[in-house]
Amino acid sequence: MEYIAKIHTPFPEKFGIPRQSGLAPAVGKIVFEPKFRNPDAVKGIEEFSHLWLLWEFSRAKQKEFHATVAPPRLGGKERRGVFATRSPFRPNSIGLSCVRLMDVRQDEKLGPVLTVSGVDLLDGTPLVDIKPYLPYADAHPEAKGGFAEKYEDFRIPVIFPEELLIKLPEKLRQTAMDVLAQDPRAAYNRQPDYVYGMAFDDYDIRFVVSDGQLVVKDVKKRDGELRKVK
């Protein structure tokens, strides 16, 4: 296989990335590799509201096969079969995300550029394929979610002081709130009153978790700019 594109997202680091696609309205831009910049390759894609992205966990590779993993939502202690989870540590480092297609435009230099929302991918993640989401075939309302079901609606209250929230561009504020509400901390690293730092777009967000609430303590502009597609 070869990479067909890369996606640019507001997540320069793994810490803080939503655990599943669609849980936060984070926006990404898909830029095709030169070989695949023919506009005909996306002809008709604007007719679909959602897309499947197949991609590579470029920073989560393992040399040896491990039959079981410890899902974060189970506290990082209970183990399940790797094929019964969506853990990034897999025999083949392939990820799958369902995203909303927001815009398709033609760039003079980059060719087709797709804007999508609901992304759960690291900035610069390579894509190996894009397929349209088909509601009649892909949606199964009766489906069971197994051991993950009890964590489906897991959210933590977020206190984001107004004087700090306004440091973020308006278009990023709701996404930041939604990402924080999922509690970015690893299940095995939850220290009370410890100050955590989350890289988000061009900003660092500092927060603590105390008494069951996440409280933002500071927002600062990061050194350097993320590579963006205008």
Side-chain angles (χ1 to χ4, degrees):
M1 292 190 295
E2 56 185 318
Y3 301 144
I4 64 163
K6 288 185 178 179
I7 187 168
H8 300 285
T9 76
F11 305 112
E13 299 176 0
K14 291 187 292 183
F15 184 76
I17 295 179
R19 291 182 172 89
Q20 303 293 340
S21 58
L23 296 183
V27 174
K29 292 187 182 295
I30 297 173
V31 178
F32 289 90
E33 294 296 295
K35 179 180 177 179
F36 303 102
R37 290 178 181 175
N38 187 329
D40 288 342
V42 296
K43 185 177 181 180
I45 201 170
E46 71 282 352
E47 299 176 26
F48 298 92
S49 66
H50 291 74
L51 303 173
W52 287 111
L53 306 182
L54 282 82
W55 45 278
E56 182 184 36
F57 287 101
S58 52
R59 294 193 197 174
K61 297 183 180 182
Q62 58 182 12
K63 296 181 179 180
E64 299 180 2
F65 170 63
H66 297 281
T68 63
V69 295
R73 288 305 189 203
L74 293 181
K77 297 180 180 179
E78 296 184 43
R79 302 190 73 83
R80 294 290 189 275
V82 63
F83 300 126
T85 75
R86 295 192 178 190
S87 168
F89 299 101
R90 323 184 64 78
N92 294 307
S93 304
I94 297 174
L96 177 69
S97 297
C98 183
V99 297
R100 176 183 291 276
L101 178 61
M102 300 175 63
D103 182 58
V104 182
R105 68 178 177 86
Q106 294 293 328
D107 184 272
E108 292 184 3
K109 295 182 179 180
L110 302 175
V113 175
L114 310 182
T115 301
V116 296
S117 68
V119 299
D120 59 340
L121 297 88
L122 190 73
D123 183 53
T125 293
L127 307 186
V128 295
D129 203 4
I130 299 172
K131 301 179 187 291
Y133 174 92
L134 303 178
Y136 74 88
D138 297 341
H140 300 278
E142 77 286 1
K144 296 181 180 180
F147 63 84
E149 275 193 336
K150 64 179 178 179
Y151 299 101
E152 181 180 2
D153 297 323
F154 177 85
R155 293 176 72 86
I156 187 171
V158 175
I159 299 176
F160 206 136
E162 183 66 23
E163 65 271 18
L164 297 178
L165 186 61
I166 61 175
K167 291 185 177 183
L168 295 175
E170 186 174 357
K171 65 179 181 179
L172 295 177
R173 294 171 190 171
Q174 187 58 55
T175 300
M177 292 283 289
D178 287 345
V179 170
L180 292 169
Q182 295 172 46
D183 194 349
R185 300 174 301 160
Y188 52 83
N189 183 24
R190 298 192 171 182
Q191 305 175 47
D193 299 320
Y194 179 83
V195 180
Y196 294 86
M198 183 183 80
F200 179 69
D201 200 77
D202 289 330
Y203 299 85
D204 278 321
I205 300 177
R206 305 283 177 174
F207 66 89
V208 299
V209 179
S210 181
D211 297 326
Q213 293 183 323
L214 187 152
V215 182
V216 176
K217 292 296 186 180
D218 198 11
V219 175
K220 291 184 177 180
K221 188 82 170 179
R222 301 179 67 227
D223 292 333
E225 293 286 330
L226 289 177
R227 181 175 52 173
K228 294 182 181 294
V229 180
K230 301 298 184 181

